Amino acid sequence: GETFNSTDPWAASVVEARSVEYAALVNTTTSNHINSLVAHAIEANSTVAELAASLESYFTAQNAMRAQRIARTELVSAGNAGRQASMKQSKRVTHKRWMSMRDKNVRDAHAALDGTVVKKDESFPGYTDGASSEWPSSVNERCYAIPERVEPKE
């Protein structure tokens, strides 16, 4: 059989880069929503208490949704990155296939990639919205890449 390095430093670098990218995205999104709420409060001549209530409502609603999104994004991306590392280390795997969840929630661009086969060290064509173009890694990702062509054992 083959052996795999599960403590590859590359994996740690992927997680670190991903965390920085996601933190910037969350901060930008939060800032935009707060700015919108403040602008609306100014237009409506709201009191401090009214704006505070709007902000509290926003943050309460966002917490559960964000927790789910972050958990899915990070775990699926880590799994996909690990699978990619395993395929690259393998002397038997030559190609990989993009797999979507094939349901109504799949993004159009990801549905278009469903079933696409590329060499194991190549990017998926046209995939630009993730941390890496070599494996599914978008925010709220549910797609994955699997080994497609595996050479027989010697």
Side-chain angles (χ1 to χ4, degrees):
E2 294 185 275
T3 59
F4 296 97
N5 178 3
S6 62
T7 59
D8 188 329
W10 174 81
S13 71
V14 168
V15 170
E16 184 176 323
R18 184 79 180 146
S19 296
V20 169
E21 175 191 345
Y22 198 72
L25 179 62
V26 168
N27 287 338
T28 299
T29 301
T30 300
S31 176
N32 290 343
H33 282 289
I34 290 171
N35 287 343
S36 176
L37 289 171
V38 170
H40 178 73
I42 290 169
E43 289 174 14
N45 201 24
S46 299
T47 65
V48 169
E50 290 168 335
L51 176 56
S54 292
L55 289 166
E56 184 176 341
S57 176
Y58 166 73
F59 283 112
T60 299
Q62 292 300 308
N63 281 342
M65 186 245 340
R66 281 192 175 162
Q68 176 75 21
R69 180 183 298 149
I70 291 168
R72 176 179 291 127
T73 298
E74 297 308 319
L75 289 178
V76 171
S77 186
N80 283 336
R83 193 174 305 104
Q84 176 66 21
S86 294
M87 287 188 284
K88 279 186 164 186
Q89 290 179 29
S90 173
K91 291 176 178 50
R92 295 179 53 218
V93 175
T94 62
H95 290 72
K96 62 189 174 190
R97 175 186 295 268
W98 181 290
M99 301 294 294
S100 78
M101 297 303 286
R102 298 178 179 169
D103 62 20
K104 64 181 176 66
N105 296 322
V106 174
R107 292 167 233 197
D108 291 342
H110 294 208
L113 285 168
D114 188 52
T116 299
V117 175
V118 297
K119 290 181 180 175
K120 69 179 179 182
D121 57 352
E122 289 183 354
S123 297
F124 283 98
Y127 178 63
T128 59
D129 63 337
S132 172
S133 59
E134 289 188 46
W135 67 88
S137 56
S138 301
V139 171
N140 222 16
E141 188 64 72
R142 299 179 315 129
C143 299
Y144 52 98
I146 59 170
E148 172 64 18
R149 296 187 192 146
V150 182
E151 299 296 328
K153 288 182 180 180
E154 294 180 359

